[in-house]
Amino acid sequence: MPSAITMTSKGLSVPHDPIIPYIEGDGTGPDIWRSSVRVFDAAVAKAYGGKRKIHWHEVYAGEKSFNKFRATLGDAKAWLPDATIDDFKKYLVGIKGPLTTPVGGGIRSLNVALRQMLDLYVCLRPVRWFKGVPSPVKKPEDCDMVIFRENTEDIYAGIEMAAGTPEAQKVLDFLEKEFPKEFKKVRFGTKAAGDEWQRGLEAIGAPHRDMPLQVGVGFKPVSYLGTERLVHSAIGYALKNKCKSVTLVHKGNIMKFTEGAFKDWGYKVATQFYRAQIVTERESWILGNKEANADLSAEANAKLIEPGFEMMTPDQRAKIVKEVETTLAGIWTTHGGGKWKSMVLIKDSIADITLQQVLTRAKDFSVIATMNLNGDYLSDALAAQVGGIGIAPGANINYITGHAIFEATHGTAPKYANLDQVNPGSVILSGEMMLRYMGWTEAADLIIKGMDGAIGAKTVTYDFHRMMEGATKLKCSEFGDAVIRHMG
């Protein structure tokens, strides 16, 4: 009898006949879902000989939901009915296609709303290249990474006040009164500042304007607990999947108390929860230096890890020497003698240089843990290296409650709706992630085998066909058939 997936103290408990809610999506969503669901069912049937089966349960969101429920639920509720949220809560694991974002008031983004309502704090985006997929880089095979993007905080929390509104003015007034030093950094936070700029423009010939005060205001919340649960999940994933490193990507050189705190807290989580299994990058330098020269003094070691050591103040030098001494006293026994080389390396990287290095030094990255906005940029930039978001899977997960929604990472592409033309790869691979999350690894492996085979045979949809010499163009539905054939 079909039943729900549940969460126990030991993890997910998945019956052989789970009920999985799905949202087929808007625009090209129905075409993609029809192709993808056949792949899922075929993989499960082949892997388990009919002993396991997914019972698909349709739930509604987006344009299809709006049209279906507008008369009974009203304009706002019809986009994302309470029943949909309730079913995702009840059945824990679900999958969705691309959704139309409502225009105007109400919910700003259905995807963000689902993540926030279910507290899906990890946006998981694996990025790998399938042989034969057209790529703009010379060595797309070097790009094999998994991004853990924090999903509930940062500027994506959606705490914003529109310019010119009483709400925005209230925040500006509060800053001016309570934090006058910081308020001065709001370049045009007063009418007087705007008028002064306008007078300068008029002095060089610009026409006179009476400009109102217009400053939009947003908040960027970043918490220790939000960081802890993300980084803990990322390191746990790296250990389970034998990944070589976790890189904390941030812009802490500029935003010291938000992004900088994320970096510092990330290291704290690593050393507090995973001390015996990880080594930080600086620790690896200290240990490596000592291993290369057993007689190396703490001060000499400090000079090697800090090139600017000689230009530091005495207090700064003492702090670095103390770091070396503390590291060697604390972990030499457990990590020294080369033992650290088999552990997960924890390091950090500034966001802007990371966007360059994932192109130029892709092999240096394995698992990336980062904040919401950085993760959004990185996910799509990396997807471009391996074929684009049309083939990029994604998941939103709460590892504590077990709730997870796997999703297409691309948009609805309405001009291609009902043409049976687009690439279903993103949803197919998101389903592969879902099966693996459920512990059905045999079925997940078959999907990877099928994708490898279909693409390797150059039987692809139009988006890849136009860039692959000698390829055969398939419809969306036909590509699903090709994946199933190549499962063997």
Side-chain angles (χ1 to χ4, degrees):
M1 181 177 178
S3 55
I5 295 172
T6 57
M7 190 67 171
T8 71
S9 59
K10 296 181 180 180
L12 284 183
S13 176
V14 182
H16 283 187
D17 51 356
I19 299 170
I20 303 291
Y22 72 94
I23 301 170
E24 68 174 7
D26 299 322
T28 56
D31 281 347
I32 291 171
W33 178 252
R34 284 189 291 269
S35 180
S36 301
V37 73
R38 289 188 296 105
V39 172
F40 306 150
D41 288 342
V44 171
K46 184 174 181 61
Y48 307 112
K51 294 180 180 179
R52 299 184 190 181
K53 181 181 180 180
I54 293 175
H55 294 266
W56 300 104
H57 168 56
E58 185 172 12
V59 294
Y60 299 90
E63 188 175 2
K64 181 177 180 179
S65 177
F66 181 77
N67 293 332
K68 184 178 180 68
F69 297 112
R70 182 181 187 183
T72 55
L73 298 180
D75 285 6
K77 285 283 187 181
W79 286 102
L80 183 58
D82 292 340
T84 296
I85 299 298
D86 291 342
D87 280 349
F88 277 125
K89 288 180 178 178
K90 177 180 179 180
Y91 297 113
L92 293 192
V93 176
I95 188 167
K96 58 176 282 296
L99 294 176
T100 298
T101 298
V103 177
I107 298 173
R108 295 171 59 193
S109 165
L110 297 176
N111 294 321
V112 172
L114 283 166
R115 295 166 190 168
Q116 291 180 342
M117 290 176 179
L118 296 171
D119 198 24
L120 305 176
Y121 58 87
V122 169
C123 179
L124 185 65
R125 292 283 295 270
V127 183
R128 59 156 289 182
W129 182 67
F130 286 89
K131 187 175 181 179
V133 171
S135 169
V137 299
K138 290 183 177 180
K139 293 185 177 181
E141 64 274 12
D142 288 352
C143 187
D144 187 5
M145 309 176 203
V146 179
I147 300 173
F148 277 71
R149 166 188 167 193
E150 204 290 318
N151 233 357
T152 63
E153 297 191 319
D154 199 4
I155 57 176
Y156 278 32
I159 308 171
E160 292 185 291
M161 291 78 185
T165 63
E167 292 80 9
Q169 189 59 53
K170 187 180 293 186
V171 173
L172 292 171
D173 291 343
F174 174 80
L175 285 174
E176 185 175 23
K177 179 182 177 182
E178 302 294 337
F179 300 95
K181 180 181 176 182
E182 288 75 13
F183 178 74
K184 289 180 181 179
K185 297 178 183 178
V186 183
R187 177 62 181 87
F188 295 107
T190 64
K191 182 71 163 59
D195 290 345
E196 181 183 11
W197 174 253
Q198 179 59 30
R199 286 193 294 271
L201 293 177
E202 292 172 14
I204 58 172
H208 174 72
R209 296 179 299 175
D210 185 15
M211 296 297 293
L213 176 63
Q214 297 182 81
V215 180
V217 180
F219 288 84
K220 181 184 176 74
V222 179
S223 69
Y224 171 76
L225 288 178
T227 301
E228 179 186 81
R229 62 185 188 173
L230 178 87
V231 175
H232 190 281
S233 299
I235 298 174
Y237 179 96
L239 289 166
K240 181 179 179 181
N241 292 278
K242 296 180 172 52
C243 302
K244 63 181 180 180
S245 68
V246 175
T247 305
L248 307 170
V249 175
H250 61 93
K251 193 63 179 167
N253 58 325
I254 303 299
M255 293 169 276
K256 299 183 184 300
F257 303 127
T258 51
E259 305 236 351
F262 173 83
K263 179 200 73 171
D264 294 340
W265 288 334
Y267 280 116
K268 179 180 177 181
V269 170
T271 55
Q272 180 176 333
F273 291 98
Y274 294 103
R275 178 68 280 179
Q277 298 157 292
I278 64 94
V279 62
T280 69
E281 188 168 49
R282 284 178 70 84
E283 289 170 347
S284 75
W285 298 341
I286 294 168
L287 293 168
N289 292 338
K290 188 66 174 178
E291 288 163 0
N293 181 0
D295 297 325
L296 192 69
S297 69
E299 183 173 347
N301 202 328
K303 291 178 180 179
L304 290 174
I305 68 170
E306 283 290 347
F309 186 85
E310 297 293 349
M311 295 180 285
M312 292 180 169
T313 65
D315 286 346
Q316 290 172 330
R317 293 182 191 178
K319 184 178 179 180
I320 304 302
V321 172
K322 181 67 173 178
E323 178 189 358
V324 171
E325 294 172 340
T326 301
T327 296
L328 293 174
I331 65 172
W332 176 259
T333 302
T334 55
H335 291 56
K339 290 190 285 290
W340 59 271
K341 294 179 181 179
S342 63
M343 298 179 182
V344 173
L345 179 68
I346 309 297
K347 54 185 178 174
D348 71 273
S349 180
I350 301 296
D352 41 6
I353 191 64
T354 302
L355 284 164
Q356 178 183 168
Q357 290 181 339
V358 293
L359 281 168
T360 60
R361 297 161 59 179
K363 285 187 175 181
D364 288 353
F365 298 90
S366 181
V367 174
I368 290 175
T370 189
M371 298 171 61
N372 216 330
L373 181 62
N374 295 333
D376 200 356
Y377 294 150
L378 272 168
S379 296
D380 285 1
L382 285 169
Q385 293 179 223
V386 297
I389 58 175
I391 198 173
N396 302 285
I397 303 172
N398 183 318
Y399 286 101
I400 303 303
T401 66
H403 288 101
I405 298 178
F406 298 81
E407 65 178 0
T409 59
H410 54 75
T412 58
K415 72 176 183 178
Y416 295 105
N418 302 312
L419 297 180
D420 193 20
Q421 190 174 345
V422 297
N423 190 338
S426 179
V427 171
I428 289 175
L429 290 173
S430 295
E432 180 272 333
M433 291 177 66
M434 181 184 75
L435 292 169
R436 204 170 293 281
Y437 178 73
M438 292 162 53
W440 291 14
T441 55
E442 299 86 356
D445 289 344
L446 283 175
I447 291 178
I448 295 297
K449 181 181 178 183
M451 287 286 291
D452 266 327
I455 295 171
K458 295 188 177 182
T459 50
V460 293
T461 48
Y462 83 98
D463 53 328
F464 289 168
H465 174 265
R466 61 188 176 183
M467 296 183 286
M468 293 174 70
E469 187 176 344
T472 299
K473 184 168 71 171
L474 301 181
K475 296 178 180 178
C476 177
S477 57
E478 292 171 338
F479 182 76
D481 294 333
V483 173
I484 293 169
R485 280 197 307 274
H486 285 281
M487 290 179 187

